[in-house]
Amino acid sequence: MAGGGSAIRGSRVGAGPMGEAERGDTAPRQRVVFFCANGHETATVFAVEAAVPEAWDCPRCGLPTSTDVNNPPPPTKIEPYKTHLAYVKERRSETEAAEILEEALEKLRARRARGEVIF
């Protein structure tokens, strides 16, 4: 038993007998090729009026690319993850850290001497 189907089954919105002519002409395009340091080649299409970027990210390895095949940009330097302590150490010297620690310990000892509960 065949079920009743839809009359527009298999077609997409905007598709008609005329195709692209109904929607107008496409913008003139240019093909630009970018090269990365690993030797990957990436071709991208831009509108002729569009400004072509100087750099592009390689979709294969993520390195930056340029349009100069003989001189691709070098890989970017990846900064290692820094902990909060590493950032604090950049801002404070060892003597400043010792002074701050001693000040905090004095406050803690004073609270204990008053009988406060410290968690």
Side-chain angles (χ1 to χ4, degrees), residues 27-32 44-52:
R29 300 175 187 179
Q30 62 180 331
R31 184 176 184 262
V32 181
T44 308
V45 178
F46 294 94
V48 172
E49 306 90 37
V52 176

Side-chain angles (χ1 to χ4, degrees), residues 47 82 99:
K82 289 186 183 179
E99 291 171 6

Side-chain angles (χ1 to χ4, degrees), residues 16-58:
M18 301 301 283
E20 293 295 325
E22 271 184 8
R23 293 182 223 122
D25 296 330
T26 58
R29 300 175 187 179
Q30 62 180 331
R31 184 176 184 262
V32 181
V33 181
F34 293 94
F35 304 92
C36 75
N38 286 340
H40 299 137
E41 184 177 313
T42 303
T44 308
V45 178
F46 294 94
V48 172
E49 306 90 37
V52 176
E54 292 181 17
W56 196 261
D57 289 337
C58 179

Side-chain angles (χ1 to χ4, degrees), residues 60-117:
R60 291 188 190 159
C61 62
L63 291 178
T65 64
S66 72
T67 55
D68 186 1
V69 66
N70 297 320
N71 193 18
T76 56
K77 183 179 176 187
I78 298 173
E79 297 272 336
Y81 173 77
K82 289 186 183 179
T83 63
H84 177 70
L85 181 60
Y87 283 110
V88 170
K89 286 183 177 182
E90 286 180 358
R91 294 190 312 262
R92 307 266 189 230
S93 67
E94 289 292 324
T95 55
E96 287 176 316
E99 291 171 6
I100 292 170
L101 176 62
E102 187 58 39
E103 183 182 317
L105 288 173
E106 286 175 14
K107 288 180 182 178
L108 183 63
R109 290 179 186 128
R111 288 178 60 190
R112 282 188 177 166
R114 291 191 303 262
E116 291 183 32
V117 178

